[in-house]
Amino acid sequence: MSKKMTLLLATVVAVMLGAAATALAASPSGNDSDKGNSGNKHSSGHNKDFAKPTASGLKPINQAALQSLVDKTIKEFHIPGAVVLLRTPQGDFTAASGTTQLNTTNPPRANTHFRIASNTKTMTAAVIMLLAQHGKLELNDPVSKYVPDVPNGDTITIAQLLEMRSGLYNYTNDPKISATMDKNPAKVWTPDELLTIAFAHPTNFPPGKEYEYTNTNYLLLGLVAEKAEGKPLAQVMHDRLFRPLKLRETELPASTVNTIPEPYSHGYLYGSSSVALVGEPPYSPEVQAAARAGSLLPKDYTGVNHSFAQAAGGVISTADDCATWTKALVAGRVLNPAYQRRWLDSGKPEDPSKPEGQKYGYGINQLSWGPNTIYFHGGETVGYNSKISYDPDNDMTLIVWTNLPVSLGDQQQTANTLWVRVLDHIYKVSPLETSP
C-alpha cells in the first residue's frame, strides 16, 4: 500500500536483473483442480497459453532448508512471525516461524488470517475483467461514465486505472491519512472522503503518459464495479470470485468492521503508520538500537479499520486461500480464454527505458529472468506485508506473509525480502544472478 512499494519492487528487479531500477500447516492437498471456475465453466484448469516445460526450472525442494531460511530471516529482521507456503509438482511445503502475537507462542499457519493489503488489487481487477467479459462495461469506457467529478474523468479509461496510468494523486500519500490513523485507528472512511483527499491534489501527468502506482485508481475501480453490477463490492467479490473458487476464508469486510476472523495474526509496526504508507520517517539510530535490544516493542496495529483501503487493499485471507486464488487467476480458471489473453497481455514496462524489466498490467506484476516468468503482486499495510505469486511454466505457487511490514535499518519490506530469498533458494537459475 505504500508509496515506497513500487520503488522497492523495482529495486528488487534491479538486483534480480543486474540493472539499476526500483513495493500454517501445509494444505491437505497440493492439487486444487477441484476448485470452481468463476468465469469459464468449460476450463480444464490449465491454460493452453502456457507450454509445459521440458524440464523443471526448480531445484529439489528441501523442507528443512526452507524452514531454516525462514527462521534465519525473521531473526535477522526482528519479525514476530512469518509464513511461506510453496506448492510445486514436488509437493506442498510450508515453513512458518515465530508467533502471531508477541509474548505468546502461537505459531502462524497456512490457515491463519491476515490482511492481504494491495494483493486485493488482483481481485478488484479480476472483477472488472469479468464485468467486461459479461458485457456490463467496456475497458475503454471513461471513468466519468460510472463516477462523477474525477479530474480528467472523461479521458481516463478503466484500462488506465487497471494498469496504473491515470495520473491521479495517490490518496494514501496525503499526511492526513496516517495522522488520522495514528490518532483514531477505528475511524470508518467513506469513498467520498478518500476521493476528496485525492482530488484536492493536482494530477501528476496526463492520462496514459506514464506508470505510477496509486491506490486512487483501485478505489475508483471498486466504485465502477458497484455501479456496473448494482451491488456492494464485497458481494460482487463473493459472488464472482470467492464462492466459485471455494475461498471460504477470504472476505472484503464491511467498512464498519475492524476485526479479523479467528485464527488470525496480530500486525505490528515500529513507529507511525506513515512508515508503512509512505516509507517515512526513517527510524532513528536510537529506535533501531532499542528495538534490537528488545527494550522497544513494535506497536500493535491489528485493530486499524481498513475502510481506508477498500478495493485497493481491504481483503482478509489466508495463505491457503491466496495460493488457490493466485494459481486460479494466472492459470485461466477465472476468465474465459479471450479475456484471459487480454489480461496476460496487459503488462507494460513500469520503466519504458527497460523494456525487459518488471511489468505491471491489469492488477498484476510480471517478471522474467533466464527461462523463468512469474506473475505476482505485493501487499503492504500497517501490520502486514505479503507476496502472492505463480509461475505457470513450473507450476510453482509461492505465498509469503509477515506480521511486521517494515524492517529496521534500511526499512525494507520484510515479505518482499523473504520472497526474493525463497526464489533464490528454489530456482536453478536464481533471480539474483546478474544478467549478461
Side-chain angles (χ1 to χ4, degrees), residues 235-255:
Q235 188 65 47
V236 179
M237 284 186 170
H238 177 266
D239 293 348
R240 292 195 175 271
L241 306 177
F242 306 156
R243 183 172 60 193
L245 291 169
K246 300 180 182 178
L247 304 178
R248 298 185 179 94
E249 305 303 322
T250 303
E251 65 177 23
L252 177 62
S255 63

Side-chain angles (χ1 to χ4, degrees), residues 70-83 97-99 102 268 270 298 401-408 412-415 417-418:
V70 177
D71 292 340
K72 178 181 177 181
T73 300
I74 75 161
K75 182 178 181 180
E76 177 183 350
F77 291 101
H78 297 269
I79 304 166
V83 169
S97 191
T99 183
L102 289 174
Y268 299 96
Y270 290 100
W401 68 261
T402 61
N403 56 11
L404 183 83
V406 181
S407 68
L408 298 166
Q412 297 181 46
Q413 288 184 32
T414 54
T417 299
L418 181 54

